Amino acid sequence: MPRPIEARIDLAALRHNYLLARQHATRRSPAAKAWAVVKANAYGHGLLRAAAALGDVADGFALLDLDEAVALREAGIRQPILLLEGFFELADLAVCADHRLTVVVHCLEQLQLLRRALPPRCLPVYLKLNSGMNRLGLTAGQLPAVRRELATSPTPAAVTLMTHFAEADGDAGERSINWQLERFAAMTAGWADAAGWPRSLANSAAILRYPETAHDWVRPGIMLYGGSPFADQDAAGLGLQPVMTLCSRILAVQEIAVGERVGYGGTFVAQRPTRVGVVACGYADGYPRHAPGGTPIIVAGRRTQTLGRVSMDMLACDLTDLPEAGVDSPVVLWGDGLAADEVASAAGTISYELFCALARRVPVRVV
């Protein structure tokens, strides 16, 4: 038998979440379209699996890697494909043109490469403006040079303006996104507004909390996979469904007395006679090693908690109040019935990291 662990991927839930994201966007902007953000192997869910699930409903797909974009085209995807970090060298432009890709341009050097391409490569461009996140994007001081490049380069087939919000998931009563919207408006006043270029501003958090930012294209990411972008709202309350469920089984049960310890370092000390379940899942499977004892887990359909440190291939949980649970009982580490956001919060991280960390050795079953 194979080791009793698997990740179940619910493609119907993925479709539901995408359609919900687009529904939120079109309530405010009826013509808005939604990129399905499938970077990082579709947040660990499988690029081609996600594409197969969304291929007949998604307006477009957004990712980072040029090879993955080519793989989508070869898999039959005909919708627009957006490279979120654009291209990295001159040779990339021929591949982008051959496969009809849309490229983000976030620095002057990329604009200059567009002008140098021989023969000229006429590509749709997303012009990314740095409105305050200070990660990628053209600054206000660079805009005169940007305008000169655009005026002298025949290569952009179409231009869309974009930016990325740093605090859309924060308290709407504090800084939120207003300061970035103000900067974006100042940067685009006149020249860009006059051109009437489409805009793409909203990530998952903004789609849900700031519908006025929907505009022409939104970019849902974590919400596609059933994760909440907010610390103060759970995914189910937002209407999102879990796509990945990490499942395992109990390998063994230990009965320990008061004062006995569990796991490396003996960080758990029994305060009562304790039934310890040993689960076939560890940090080599993608479960966070830094998840402390007390992290929620479901065994035989009931909630309990982990005990002690996570090992490479195993972790321990408390079965003391679950007399019906024993060897071979089913376990849910996160997903259906236990939100990944809750597990991530207990581990001091975010569900994005849990999904992306799923190890190759974990079998995947499509539901």
Side-chain angles (χ1 to χ4, degrees), residues 145-170:
V146 170
R147 295 174 66 180
R148 289 194 296 271
E149 284 290 337
L150 290 174
T152 58
S153 175
T155 50
V159 176
T160 298
L161 297 172
M162 73 179 295
T163 196
H164 194 67
F165 295 127
E167 300 176 59
D169 57 343

Side-chain angles (χ1 to χ4, degrees), residues 118-135:
L118 291 174
R121 303 293 181 177
C122 199
L123 300 171
V125 164
Y126 267 49
L127 201 63
K128 186 166 191 175
L129 304 185
N130 178 6
S131 60
M133 189 167 184
N134 294 320
R135 197 171 62 176

Side-chain angles (χ1 to χ4, degrees), residues 21-257:
R22 191 167 63 188
Q23 181 183 36
H24 274 279
T26 55
R27 282 175 184 166
R28 185 62 178 261
S29 300
K33 296 181 178 180
W35 294 106
V37 179
V38 292
K39 63 181 180 176
N41 194 31
Y43 288 47
H45 292 69
L47 174 67
L48 296 183
R49 279 190 290 271
L54 299 175
D56 63 335
V57 295
D59 298 313
F61 293 87
L63 40 65
L64 301 183
D65 189 83
L66 182 56
D67 287 342
E68 290 188 342
V70 172
L72 286 185
R73 284 286 184 245
E74 291 176 345
I77 295 298
R78 295 290 172 259
Q79 293 98 319
I81 297 176
L82 176 66
L83 291 176
L84 289 166
E85 290 181 356
F87 48 91
F88 301 97
E89 57 184 35
L90 202 56
D92 294 344
L93 293 174
V95 181
C96 292
D98 290 345
H99 291 86
R100 308 181 319 282
L101 305 182
T102 302
V103 295
V104 167
V105 169
H106 57 77
C107 62
L108 284 171
E109 290 78 5
Q110 287 177 319
L111 276 177
Q112 292 161 356
L113 282 176
L114 275 174
R115 179 164 44 83
R116 287 167 46 198
L118 291 174
R121 303 293 181 177
C122 199
L123 300 171
V125 164
Y126 267 49
L127 201 63
K128 186 166 191 175
L129 304 185
N130 178 6
S131 60
M133 189 167 184
N134 294 320
R135 197 171 62 176
L136 294 180
L138 297 149
T139 64
Q142 293 173 318
L143 291 182
V146 170
R147 295 174 66 180
R148 289 194 296 271
E149 284 290 337
L150 290 174
T152 58
S153 175
T155 50
V159 176
T160 298
L161 297 172
M162 73 179 295
T163 196
H164 194 67
F165 295 127
E167 300 176 59
D169 57 343
D171 188 337
E174 296 179 1
R175 278 164 53 93
S176 65
I177 63 169
N178 294 331
W179 61 283
Q180 282 189 266
L181 287 175
E182 290 170 3
R183 289 190 185 183
F184 185 82
M187 293 175 75
T188 57
W191 68 284
D193 289 340
W197 290 329
R199 302 182 179 210
S200 176
L201 308 182
N203 55 6
S204 292
I207 291 168
L208 293 167
R209 187 164 282 179
Y210 303 100
E212 69 273 16
T213 64
H215 293 289
D216 303 283
W217 281 88
V218 297
R219 305 188 305 274
I222 190 61
M223 68 181 296
L224 297 185
Y225 308 99
S228 171
F230 308 115
D232 59 351
Q233 285 184 274
D234 63 38
L238 295 167
L240 300 170
Q241 298 176 1
V243 179
M244 178 192 293
T245 298
L246 183 60
C247 308
S248 187
R249 290 189 175 271
I250 299 292
L251 291 178
V253 177
Q254 302 291 343
E255 305 268 359
I256 66 173

